[in-house]
Amino acid sequence: MIETKNEEGDASRKKFLKLGAIGGVAIAVAGSLGILKAFSKEEKPVTGKKVKLLSPEGKIVEVDSSYINPELPDIPLNIRQGAPGKKFVMVIDLSRCKNAGKCKKACSKMHYLPPERSFIKIEKMQDAETTSPYWMPTPCFHCDNPPCVKVCPVDATFKLTDGTVGIDNERCIGCRFCMAACPYSARVFNWSEDLYKMSEDELKAIKPHHQCSSHVKGTVEKCDFCPSHAQKGILPDCVTACPNGVFYFGDEMEDTVSNGDETVRLSTLLKEKAAYRYLEHLGTKPRLYYLPPANRIFPFEDKTEEKTEGVEHKQG
Amino acid sequence: MKDIIKPIDEAAAIEMLHKFNEDLLPKKFGKVGQVWVVFLCIVIGVGIYCYVKQLRQGLGVTGMGDIVSWGIYISNFVFFVAISLVGSLITAILYLLNISWRSPITRIAEVIAVACIIFAGLIIIVDMGRPDRILNMFVHGRIQSPIVWDVIVVMTYMTISILLLYFPLLPGISFCRDRLTNIPKWQKTMYRWLSLGWKNKPEQYEIVKKSVTVLSILIIPVALSIHTVTSWLFETTYRPGWDSTNFGAYFVSGAFMLGAGGVIAAMYILVRFNPTYEQYITDKHFDRMGRLLVLLSLIYFYFTINEYMMPGYKMKGEESAHLTELFVGKYAFMFWSVQIIGMIIPIVLLFFNYFRRPFPMFLISICVIIGAWFKRFLIVIPTMLHPFLPVQQIPEAAKVYVPTFEEWSITIASLAGALLIITVFVRYFPIISIWEVAEERGISHQVIYEHLNEKE
């Protein structure tokens, strides 16, 4: 019995080592070639293609291309567990925002929301009468001391290990205390069914986002940092949709954030650009930083909705 | 002012006792009473229809939106919790202070408390997006959440209030059981079941009196808790207008004032529609209640000054938009009407003997009650309209709050429901406690036992 067990153990260990070796080689090589980014835009891997790579021992090895940027299977998300070993963080560069509204559209599309609704809002802010106004996108702040989680009577909203604040729409009783408690107005409520023209089966059929797009009537929802993307190291849709690179998203543990165009060190970015957190005095400890609207790349323009639409078309 | 006439000897006592029984046992309603019950039932029926609609279509049938996510359901809940505090005030505080004139009005206060706390519980379920998941409160309840505190204290208060209504009612039910003739069989059976075999023995009275003392002591901290915890539902958030350390005291004092107003209105209506009660609820009782109301109003006035004047003096960033809206903005008319008509005028008028008579006091107490309802509206809604982030780029409809027909009718139905409980109680039970009125006049329990109990 013991021997068999040992054999089995050996076998699985061998298998594990083998996998580890392949993975290790792939990562090492990919790293040396600069292919691997902590967060990159989603790319479809070409399977069945062999790629020649240089191993750490100096040998040429052939590996399947899918190893280099492997398409991880859709992990069935446990909504109460975050991505292991990660601490997601977002930085919003206010000097780049011109209220293009692409993030809102992408968010609505991603979460199967009706077009007039999104989990991100873009507010026109003006700190004093004498100072210039600026645009401020506000998704959920995923606070480390979240007022919404504190007040929830049934543990339907909670802090995940990866730093995000999640919602269990199958448990929420719809008391909306979290909405009253949130100082950032991040939460929205499913007031009625017909807001979403999708049946429950249709919603369940959506991959990979059905868990964060469940739209259960009578429950609260909000920005979720696109967990099924974030788990795989793919940037949330608002980040990639922004034409001006306003949003940086990343993992605090890796100390890197990316806006899709550039990947930068988080600590350096926060230090050099004098980042701040909105309503810091409330003590909510948001996981969302703002870079001040200094040295802006666009002059502030307050256009009407239609004009904004027109400009967007030209850009697109 | 009439003083209490005490019987000179036992014969007089017995005669008096029989008179009380005749006067105070529940009687069939006249035309007005019947129309009133039918009216309440229609209002409740419309409310139930609207609630079924809300259950099917979701809270979208209300005027609430992502900005004003708490509306008149919540302000109505606060109103109900507030008025139900009167049970503890009249029953417990006046009882423990040994204030003799309270006995004819104790039960009025207690039945208002029970009816309102029941509807406080119901209206909060109406406000839930998923009432079908209410058991999650018990399965997954988090003790860190003020809502769970509220559920605990409201249920405790409801239990103690029901017991505080029921225990002193036992002799009353037994009188109904033994003395009421010409009543349908079900009513007789109901009295038999509810009286728990009450025999009017002096020992039994001792047990009831001891229980009432214990419950009166228990209910005071619980009563203070229900309204303090209700204020904490708001105070635990950061929102301007709710972020106030004054809130607990402000809510409790407002609740006592409202409760006293509610009892005065009920006293007047009872006396008006059943003139026999005039011998028991006299002008003296109105005068005393008027003095109590003016005292409670002054306490509330003090906390109101604290609540609005100090933030108004500073006009701190986030608070100023909210306070400006209240003082001179969109809600200014409602705000000043509520303060002046619902608080300042009642205080001033009640200083004078002339206004501490039944009819003027009835009008004053109606002002207090309506003012208190809108006061709670002003606590909830304007704050919701002023979150930290500016309200922009959302549909215009979501930026304002106008309660819909469904919302109003459900809210009004809840008020009608509380009134119906009180009305039905008056119809089937003695609203003025016979044995306590007898006790007030020095008639011993032994005499009650010997002359009012049905002999086996």
Side-chain angles (χ1 to χ4, degrees):
Chain A
M1 275 300 280
I2 297 162
E3 275 173 18
T4 339
K5 242 190 185 171
N6 271 345
E7 268 171 32
E8 267 180 21
D10 275 348
S12 62
R13 197 183 305 146
K14 270 178 198 162
K15 209 174 162 189
F16 173 77
L17 285 172
K18 209 172 152 191
L19 275 175
I22 294 170
V25 168
I27 288 169
V29 171
S32 66
L33 294 175
I35 295 167
L36 188 84
K37 278 184 188 173
F39 291 94
S40 54
K41 290 186 184 181
E42 192 172 11
E43 284 168 57
K44 278 193 178 163
V46 195
T47 44
K49 237 184 179 180
K50 295 286 173 190
V51 180
K52 282 181 183 172
L53 295 170
L54 192 67
S55 80
E57 292 92 40
K59 287 176 190 164
I60 304 262
V61 288
E62 271 197 342
V63 293
D64 194 275
S65 66
S66 59
Y67 279 121
I68 292 170
N69 194 355
E71 169 84 346
L72 296 176
D74 273 334
I75 310 155
L77 290 176
N78 179 347
I79 45 167
R80 288 177 180 271
Q81 274 168 8
K86 308 239 184 211
K87 284 275 178 209
F88 294 122
V89 63
M90 189 179 257
V91 182
I92 293 178
D93 189 348
L94 297 176
S95 70
R96 296 176 176 213
C97 182
K98 56 171 281 188
N99 189 24
K102 298 275 186 188
C103 54
K104 288 163 70 173
K105 278 190 181 158
C107 176
S108 305
K109 202 179 161 203
M110 175 71 140
H111 293 95
Y112 299 90
L113 292 164
E116 71 275 10
R117 195 170 210 194
S118 103
F119 295 151
I120 307 173
K121 287 192 281 300
I122 305 175
E123 271 97 6
K124 178 188 163 189
M125 303 293 278
Q126 191 169 12
D127 296 335
E129 276 166 36
T130 45
T131 59
S132 166
Y134 57 92
W135 294 107
M136 184 164 108
T138 53
C140 174
F141 285 49
H142 296 277
C143 308
D144 276 346
N145 183 19
C148 51
V149 170
K150 263 193 209 171
V151 300
C152 179
V154 293
D155 200 18
T157 185
F158 33 77
K159 194 76 185 153
L160 301 172
T161 52
D162 61 15
T164 53
V165 172
I167 296 178
D168 182 350
N169 288 92
E170 296 306 317
R171 185 182 286 185
C172 175
I173 57 167
C175 67
R176 310 189 295 292
F177 200 175
C178 53
M179 295 177 76
C182 175
Y184 308 108
S185 312
R187 290 170 169 256
V188 293
F189 189 72
N190 292 311
W191 296 99
S192 50
E193 246 156 353
D194 27 285
L195 203 54
Y196 307 98
K197 300 272 189 290
M198 263 187 182
S199 74
E200 211 153 296
D201 291 331
E202 279 177 299
L203 281 167
K204 281 198 175 129
I206 317 168
K207 295 267 175 164
H209 271 286
H210 68 276
Q211 255 129 343
C212 44
S213 317
S214 41
H215 311 319
V216 181
K217 183 178 102 178
T219 62
V220 175
E221 55 188 23
K222 65 168 185 70
C223 156
D224 50 11
F225 272 179
C226 299
S228 43
H229 272 190
Q231 268 202 342
K232 290 191 265 174
I234 302 166
L235 291 168
D237 269 18
C238 53
V239 180
T240 48
C242 178
N244 306 316
V246 172
F247 298 87
Y248 289 84
F249 185 80
D251 182 0
E252 203 184 316
M253 303 302 243
E254 288 181 347
D255 200 21
T256 48
V257 283
S258 170
N259 66 353
D261 298 326
E262 51 168 356
T263 304
V264 289
R265 203 151 283 287
L266 171 70
S267 49
T268 320
L269 184 72
L270 297 184
K271 211 176 284 172
E272 285 181 353
K273 294 270 181 86
Y276 69 94
R277 296 190 294 193
Y278 183 61
L279 299 181
E280 179 74 49
H281 66 280
L282 296 184
T284 51
K285 300 191 172 71
R287 296 199 69 76
L288 179 88
Y289 295 87
Y290 285 103
L291 304 181
N295 302 322
R296 280 187 247 180
I297 58 172
F298 304 106
F300 181 85
E301 279 175 71
D302 192 1
K303 295 161 234 155
T304 60
E305 289 267 330
E306 291 143 309
K307 272 184 185 168
T308 319
E309 289 281 328
V311 171
E312 270 175 21
H313 271 292
K314 266 183 213 164
Q315 281 182 343
Chain B
M1 260 187 276
K2 278 184 279 180
D3 275 325
I4 295 166
I5 307 155
K6 289 189 176 167
I8 35 166
D9 56 9
E10 204 180 314
I14 294 159
E15 195 188 328
M16 200 175 246
L17 205 53
H18 282 285
K19 186 181 148 27
F20 291 163
N21 222 7
E22 193 143 305
D23 289 350
L24 299 177
L25 280 181
K27 289 176 192 68
K28 264 196 178 149
F29 280 168
K31 267 264 155 55
V32 183
Q34 283 167 0
V35 170
W36 172 241
V37 171
V38 170
F39 168 74
L40 289 179
C41 288
I42 292 169
V43 172
I44 294 167
V46 174
I48 290 172
Y49 170 78
C50 290
Y51 184 56
V52 171
K53 193 173 168 193
Q54 182 186 304
L55 278 179
R56 292 161 69 110
Q57 296 178 14
L59 281 167
V61 301
T62 68
M64 290 184 275
D66 291 334
I67 297 300
V68 183
S69 53
W70 278 351
I72 56 172
Y73 291 155
I74 293 288
S75 70
N76 199 38
F77 163 75
V78 179
F79 176 82
F80 272 131
V81 174
I83 198 164
S84 78
L85 240 65
V86 73
S88 75
L89 170 74
I90 307 280
T91 323
I93 297 177
L94 297 190
Y95 173 81
L96 293 174
L97 291 174
N98 211 2
I99 290 177
S100 62
W101 54 266
R102 63 166 196 110
S103 35
I105 54 174
T106 311
R107 196 162 290 160
I108 300 172
E110 204 48 57
V111 77
I112 292 175
V114 169
C116 289
I117 201 72
I118 287 172
F119 273 89
L122 288 177
I123 199 77
I124 210 74
I125 295 171
V126 167
D127 186 65
M128 282 169 64
R130 295 302 296 243
D132 53 316
R133 295 183 184 166
I134 190 153
L135 286 179
N136 281 5
M137 291 290 293
F138 304 97
V139 182
H140 303 292
R142 282 175 77 245
I143 197 67
Q144 300 96 316
S145 169
I147 288 196
V148 172
W149 308 342
D150 217 25
V151 169
I152 293 170
V153 289
V154 165
M155 289 197 324
T156 312
Y157 185 75
M158 197 189 291
T159 312
I160 300 180
S161 287
I162 288 173
L163 293 179
L164 209 41
L165 175 69
Y166 186 49
F167 284 172
L169 187 62
L170 282 168
I173 302 173
S174 84
F175 300 146
C176 291
R177 175 195 65 193
D178 301 339
R179 300 277 148 180
L180 280 181
T181 47
N182 240 340
I183 53 169
K185 212 178 159 201
W186 68 266
Q187 206 176 324
K188 200 122 200 159
T189 319
M190 177 182 78
Y191 290 139
R192 206 175 58 239
W193 279 94
L194 286 178
S195 63
L196 304 176
W198 183 265
K199 293 254 187 318
N200 281 308
K201 285 183 185 156
E203 309 93 87
Q204 288 181 316
Y205 278 105
E206 285 312 305
I207 297 172
V208 160
K209 288 181 77 173
K210 266 184 199 155
S211 314
V212 169
T213 310
V214 171
L215 288 171
S216 300
I217 295 166
L218 274 180
I219 204 170
I220 292 171
V222 179
L224 292 179
S225 303
I226 53 164
H227 219 41
T228 309
V229 170
T230 303
S231 81
W232 288 348
L233 293 182
F234 304 101
E235 210 182 319
T236 42
T237 72
Y238 298 93
R239 287 179 184 254
W242 292 351
D243 186 16
S244 151
T245 47
N246 184 39
F247 243 36
Y250 175 56
F251 269 50
V252 171
S253 59
F256 278 148
M257 176 190 169
L258 165 61
V263 168
I264 292 168
M267 281 160 63
Y268 179 80
I269 291 166
L270 280 174
V271 171
R272 174 78 184 69
F273 288 101
N274 190 344
T276 8
Y277 289 154
E278 258 175 55
Q279 303 159 43
Y280 304 93
I281 302 172
T282 58
D283 285 5
K284 184 188 131 189
H285 290 102
F286 279 94
D287 177 69
R288 291 290 148 84
M289 280 306 293
R291 286 161 192 246
L292 188 59
L293 179 59
V294 79
L295 170 71
L296 295 168
S297 305
L298 283 170
I299 298 172
Y300 182 58
F301 181 67
Y302 169 74
F303 285 112
T304 307
I305 296 273
N306 277 279
E307 182 58 31
Y308 289 107
M309 208 173 132
M310 285 305 108
Y313 185 88
K314 286 177 283 191
M315 279 292 175
K316 211 165 68 182
E318 291 113 7
E319 299 263 342
S320 78
H322 167 68
L323 290 174
T324 310
E325 191 89 299
L326 288 182
F327 294 162
V328 290
K330 216 165 67 190
Y331 287 101
F333 176 74
M334 196 192 277
F335 179 80
W336 291 112
S337 310
V338 158
Q339 304 300 352
I340 293 167
I341 302 171
M343 182 173 66
I344 293 167
I345 292 180
I347 292 175
V348 173
L349 292 185
L350 287 173
F351 279 137
F352 300 99
N353 282 334
Y354 177 82
F355 290 101
R356 287 202 304 275
R357 290 179 307 129
F359 186 65
M361 269 183 59
F362 173 68
L363 294 183
I364 289 169
S365 66
I366 292 294
C367 290
V368 166
I369 294 167
I370 294 173
W373 196 91
F374 282 98
K375 178 76 244 197
R376 271 125 197 106
F377 180 94
L378 287 170
I379 289 173
V380 178
I381 281 89
T383 289
M384 297 285 335
L385 282 166
H386 289 282
F388 285 96
L389 281 169
V391 179
Q392 294 169 359
Q393 299 196 355
I394 57 161
E396 280 305 312
K399 285 187 194 174
V400 288
Y401 174 64
V402 184
T404 57
F405 169 76
E406 285 84 357
E407 216 172 345
W408 277 119
S409 65
I410 292 172
T411 305
I412 292 168
S414 71
L415 296 165
L419 288 173
L420 186 68
I421 291 186
I422 299 167
T423 310
V424 168
F425 186 89
V426 173
R427 167 66 187 83
Y428 290 109
F429 300 98
I431 187 71
I432 297 175
S433 179
I434 297 167
W435 71 273
E436 280 173 286
V437 168
E439 198 180 44
E440 197 185 352
R441 284 160 174 77
I443 300 171
S444 72
H445 300 141
Q446 189 64 33
V447 177
I448 299 178
Y449 174 58
E450 280 165 19
H451 297 279
L452 272 190
N453 200 39
E454 202 175 46
K455 297 287 169 285
E456 283 115 311

Short mmCIF file of all heavy atoms in Angstrom, two decimals, chain A residues 149-183:
data_model
loop_
_atom_site.label_atom_id
_atom_site.label_comp_id
_atom_site.label_asym_id
_atom_site.label_seq_id
_atom_site.Cartn_x
_atom_site.Cartn_y
_atom_site.Cartn_z
N VAL A 149 -19.16 47.48 3.15
CA VAL A 149 -19.01 46.14 3.71
C VAL A 149 -19.36 46.15 5.20
O VAL A 149 -20.00 45.24 5.71
CB VAL A 149 -17.57 45.63 3.48
CG1 VAL A 149 -17.31 44.35 4.25
CG2 VAL A 149 -17.32 45.41 2.00
N LYS A 150 -18.96 47.24 5.87
CA LYS A 150 -19.24 47.36 7.30
C LYS A 150 -20.72 47.25 7.60
O LYS A 150 -21.12 46.62 8.57
CB LYS A 150 -18.78 48.74 7.79
CG LYS A 150 -17.42 48.77 8.43
CD LYS A 150 -17.29 50.13 9.12
CE LYS A 150 -15.87 50.57 9.16
NZ LYS A 150 -15.77 51.96 9.62
N VAL A 151 -21.55 47.89 6.79
CA VAL A 151 -22.97 47.99 7.15
C VAL A 151 -23.82 46.86 6.61
O VAL A 151 -24.97 46.72 7.01
CB VAL A 151 -23.57 49.34 6.69
CG1 VAL A 151 -22.85 50.49 7.35
CG2 VAL A 151 -23.57 49.48 5.18
N CYS A 152 -23.30 46.04 5.71
CA CYS A 152 -24.14 45.00 5.10
C CYS A 152 -24.63 44.02 6.16
O CYS A 152 -23.84 43.45 6.90
CB CYS A 152 -23.38 44.24 4.02
SG CYS A 152 -24.40 42.95 3.28
N PRO A 153 -25.96 43.82 6.24
CA PRO A 153 -26.48 42.96 7.30
C PRO A 153 -26.31 41.46 7.02
O PRO A 153 -26.45 40.66 7.94
CB PRO A 153 -27.96 43.32 7.37
CG PRO A 153 -28.28 43.83 6.02
CD PRO A 153 -27.04 44.46 5.48
N VAL A 154 -26.05 41.07 5.78
CA VAL A 154 -26.05 39.64 5.47
C VAL A 154 -24.74 39.17 4.84
O VAL A 154 -24.69 38.07 4.29
CB VAL A 154 -27.23 39.27 4.55
CG1 VAL A 154 -28.54 39.45 5.27
CG2 VAL A 154 -27.22 40.06 3.27
N ASP A 155 -23.70 39.98 4.90
CA ASP A 155 -22.42 39.60 4.31
C ASP A 155 -22.56 39.35 2.80
O ASP A 155 -21.95 38.43 2.26
CB ASP A 155 -21.87 38.34 5.00
CG ASP A 155 -20.37 38.19 4.80
OD1 ASP A 155 -19.73 39.17 4.43
OD2 ASP A 155 -19.85 37.08 4.99
N ALA A 156 -23.39 40.14 2.16
CA ALA A 156 -23.57 40.00 0.72
C ALA A 156 -22.55 40.85 -0.03
O ALA A 156 -22.37 40.70 -1.23
CB ALA A 156 -24.97 40.40 0.29
N THR A 157 -21.88 41.75 0.66
CA THR A 157 -20.78 42.49 0.05
C THR A 157 -19.60 42.35 1.00
O THR A 157 -19.77 42.37 2.21
CB THR A 157 -21.15 43.94 -0.27
OG1 THR A 157 -20.06 44.54 -0.97
CG2 THR A 157 -21.46 44.77 0.95
N PHE A 158 -18.42 42.12 0.42
CA PHE A 158 -17.29 41.67 1.24
C PHE A 158 -15.99 42.06 0.57
O PHE A 158 -15.96 42.40 -0.61
CB PHE A 158 -17.35 40.15 1.41
CG PHE A 158 -17.91 39.45 0.21
CD1 PHE A 158 -17.13 39.28 -0.92
CD2 PHE A 158 -19.24 39.05 0.16
CE1 PHE A 158 -17.65 38.69 -2.06
CE2 PHE A 158 -19.78 38.47 -0.98
CZ PHE A 158 -18.97 38.29 -2.09
N LYS A 159 -14.95 42.00 1.33
CA LYS A 159 -13.61 42.31 0.85
C LYS A 159 -12.96 41.00 0.42
O LYS A 159 -12.94 40.03 1.17
CB LYS A 159 -12.84 42.94 2.01
CG LYS A 159 -11.58 43.63 1.63
CD LYS A 159 -11.79 44.96 1.00
CE LYS A 159 -10.45 45.51 0.54
NZ LYS A 159 -10.59 46.42 -0.58
N LEU A 160 -12.43 40.97 -0.81
CA LEU A 160 -11.76 39.77 -1.29
C LEU A 160 -10.27 39.84 -0.99
O LEU A 160 -9.73 40.92 -0.74
CB LEU A 160 -11.98 39.62 -2.79
CG LEU A 160 -13.43 39.53 -3.23
CD1 LEU A 160 -13.54 39.59 -4.74
CD2 LEU A 160 -14.07 38.26 -2.73
N THR A 161 -9.59 38.68 -1.07
CA THR A 161 -8.16 38.66 -0.77
C THR A 161 -7.37 39.49 -1.77
O THR A 161 -6.29 39.96 -1.47
CB THR A 161 -7.62 37.22 -0.79
OG1 THR A 161 -8.02 36.63 -2.03
CG2 THR A 161 -8.15 36.42 0.36
N ASP A 162 -7.92 39.67 -2.99
CA ASP A 162 -7.17 40.44 -3.98
C ASP A 162 -7.46 41.94 -3.88
O ASP A 162 -7.10 42.71 -4.77
CB ASP A 162 -7.43 39.91 -5.39
CG ASP A 162 -8.89 40.00 -5.79
OD1 ASP A 162 -9.65 40.71 -5.11
OD2 ASP A 162 -9.29 39.35 -6.77
N GLY A 163 -8.13 42.35 -2.80
CA GLY A 163 -8.32 43.77 -2.56
C GLY A 163 -9.62 44.33 -3.09
O GLY A 163 -10.02 45.43 -2.72
N THR A 164 -10.30 43.61 -3.97
CA THR A 164 -11.54 44.15 -4.51
C THR A 164 -12.69 43.93 -3.52
O THR A 164 -12.60 43.12 -2.62
CB THR A 164 -11.91 43.49 -5.86
OG1 THR A 164 -11.92 42.08 -5.68
CG2 THR A 164 -10.93 43.85 -6.94
N VAL A 165 -13.74 44.72 -3.72
CA VAL A 165 -14.95 44.56 -2.92
C VAL A 165 -15.98 43.86 -3.81
O VAL A 165 -16.30 44.35 -4.89
CB VAL A 165 -15.48 45.94 -2.45
CG1 VAL A 165 -16.84 45.79 -1.80
CG2 VAL A 165 -14.50 46.57 -1.49
N GLY A 166 -16.41 42.70 -3.38
CA GLY A 166 -17.32 41.91 -4.21
C GLY A 166 -18.74 41.95 -3.70
O GLY A 166 -19.01 42.40 -2.58
N ILE A 167 -19.67 41.51 -4.55
CA ILE A 167 -21.08 41.43 -4.18
C ILE A 167 -21.60 40.04 -4.53
O ILE A 167 -21.31 39.52 -5.60
CB ILE A 167 -21.93 42.49 -4.93
CG1 ILE A 167 -21.50 43.90 -4.54
CG2 ILE A 167 -23.41 42.30 -4.63
CD1 ILE A 167 -22.25 44.98 -5.27
N ASP A 168 -22.34 39.46 -3.61
CA ASP A 168 -23.00 38.19 -3.88
C ASP A 168 -24.47 38.49 -4.17
O ASP A 168 -25.27 38.71 -3.26
CB ASP A 168 -22.87 37.27 -2.66
CG ASP A 168 -23.50 35.91 -2.89
OD1 ASP A 168 -24.19 35.75 -3.92
OD2 ASP A 168 -23.30 35.01 -2.06
N ASN A 169 -24.81 38.52 -5.46
CA ASN A 169 -26.17 38.89 -5.84
C ASN A 169 -27.20 37.82 -5.52
O ASN A 169 -28.39 38.04 -5.64
CB ASN A 169 -26.23 39.24 -7.33
CG ASN A 169 -25.57 40.55 -7.61
OD1 ASN A 169 -24.39 40.60 -7.90
ND2 ASN A 169 -26.31 41.64 -7.47
N GLU A 170 -26.72 36.66 -5.13
CA GLU A 170 -27.67 35.61 -4.74
C GLU A 170 -27.99 35.69 -3.25
O GLU A 170 -28.81 34.94 -2.75
CB GLU A 170 -27.10 34.22 -5.08
CG GLU A 170 -26.91 33.99 -6.56
CD GLU A 170 -28.17 34.23 -7.38
OE1 GLU A 170 -29.25 33.81 -6.95
OE2 GLU A 170 -28.07 34.89 -8.44
N ARG A 171 -27.29 36.56 -2.54
CA ARG A 171 -27.56 36.68 -1.11
C ARG A 171 -28.14 38.04 -0.73
O ARG A 171 -28.85 38.17 0.26
CB ARG A 171 -26.27 36.45 -0.32
CG ARG A 171 -26.53 36.45 1.17
CD ARG A 171 -25.30 36.26 1.97
NE ARG A 171 -24.82 34.89 1.92
CZ ARG A 171 -23.79 34.46 2.63
NH1 ARG A 171 -23.15 35.27 3.43
NH2 ARG A 171 -23.38 33.22 2.54
N CYS A 172 -27.82 39.07 -1.52
CA CYS A 172 -28.24 40.45 -1.22
C CYS A 172 -29.75 40.51 -0.99
O CYS A 172 -30.52 39.93 -1.75
CB CYS A 172 -27.85 41.33 -2.40
SG CYS A 172 -28.42 43.02 -2.25
N ILE A 173 -30.15 41.21 0.08
CA ILE A 173 -31.58 41.32 0.38
C ILE A 173 -32.16 42.64 -0.13
O ILE A 173 -33.34 42.89 0.03
CB ILE A 173 -31.85 41.18 1.90
CG1 ILE A 173 -31.08 42.22 2.70
CG2 ILE A 173 -31.51 39.77 2.37
CD1 ILE A 173 -31.52 42.34 4.13
N GLY A 174 -31.30 43.47 -0.70
CA GLY A 174 -31.81 44.71 -1.30
C GLY A 174 -32.19 45.79 -0.30
O GLY A 174 -33.10 46.56 -0.57
N CYS A 175 -31.49 45.87 0.83
CA CYS A 175 -31.83 46.92 1.80
C CYS A 175 -31.22 48.26 1.40
O CYS A 175 -31.63 49.29 1.91
CB CYS A 175 -31.40 46.53 3.20
SG CYS A 175 -29.61 46.44 3.43
N ARG A 176 -30.21 48.25 0.54
CA ARG A 176 -29.57 49.45 0.00
C ARG A 176 -28.85 50.28 1.06
O ARG A 176 -28.60 51.46 0.87
CB ARG A 176 -30.58 50.32 -0.77
CG ARG A 176 -31.39 49.51 -1.76
CD ARG A 176 -32.21 50.35 -2.66
NE ARG A 176 -33.25 51.08 -1.98
CZ ARG A 176 -34.31 50.53 -1.42
NH1 ARG A 176 -34.47 49.23 -1.43
NH2 ARG A 176 -35.22 51.27 -0.83
N PHE A 177 -28.52 49.66 2.17
CA PHE A 177 -27.74 50.35 3.20
C PHE A 177 -26.35 50.67 2.65
O PHE A 177 -25.80 51.74 2.92
CB PHE A 177 -27.65 49.47 4.45
CG PHE A 177 -27.29 50.21 5.71
CD1 PHE A 177 -27.28 49.54 6.92
CD2 PHE A 177 -26.98 51.56 5.71
CE1 PHE A 177 -26.96 50.19 8.10
CE2 PHE A 177 -26.67 52.22 6.88
CZ PHE A 177 -26.66 51.54 8.08
N CYS A 178 -25.78 49.72 1.86
CA CYS A 178 -24.45 49.95 1.30
C CYS A 178 -24.44 51.17 0.40
O CYS A 178 -23.46 51.91 0.35
CB CYS A 178 -23.98 48.72 0.55
SG CYS A 178 -25.14 48.13 -0.69
N MET A 179 -25.56 51.39 -0.32
CA MET A 179 -25.62 52.56 -1.21
C MET A 179 -25.62 53.85 -0.40
O MET A 179 -25.01 54.85 -0.79
CB MET A 179 -26.88 52.50 -2.07
CG MET A 179 -26.89 51.33 -3.01
SD MET A 179 -28.43 51.24 -3.95
CE MET A 179 -28.19 52.52 -5.14
N ALA A 180 -26.34 53.81 0.74
CA ALA A 180 -26.36 54.99 1.61
C ALA A 180 -24.99 55.20 2.24
O ALA A 180 -24.57 56.33 2.45
CB ALA A 180 -27.42 54.82 2.68
N ALA A 181 -24.29 54.10 2.52
CA ALA A 181 -23.02 54.21 3.23
C ALA A 181 -21.88 54.62 2.32
O ALA A 181 -20.91 55.22 2.77
CB ALA A 181 -22.69 52.88 3.91
N CYS A 182 -21.96 54.28 1.03
CA CYS A 182 -20.83 54.54 0.13
C CYS A 182 -20.69 56.04 -0.11
O CYS A 182 -21.60 56.68 -0.63
CB CYS A 182 -21.03 53.83 -1.20
SG CYS A 182 -19.74 54.24 -2.39
N PRO A 183 -19.54 56.65 0.25
CA PRO A 183 -19.40 58.09 0.02
C PRO A 183 -19.09 58.42 -1.44
O PRO A 183 -19.05 59.59 -1.79
CB PRO A 183 -18.24 58.49 0.94
CG PRO A 183 -17.56 57.24 1.33
CD PRO A 183 -18.38 56.06 0.92
#
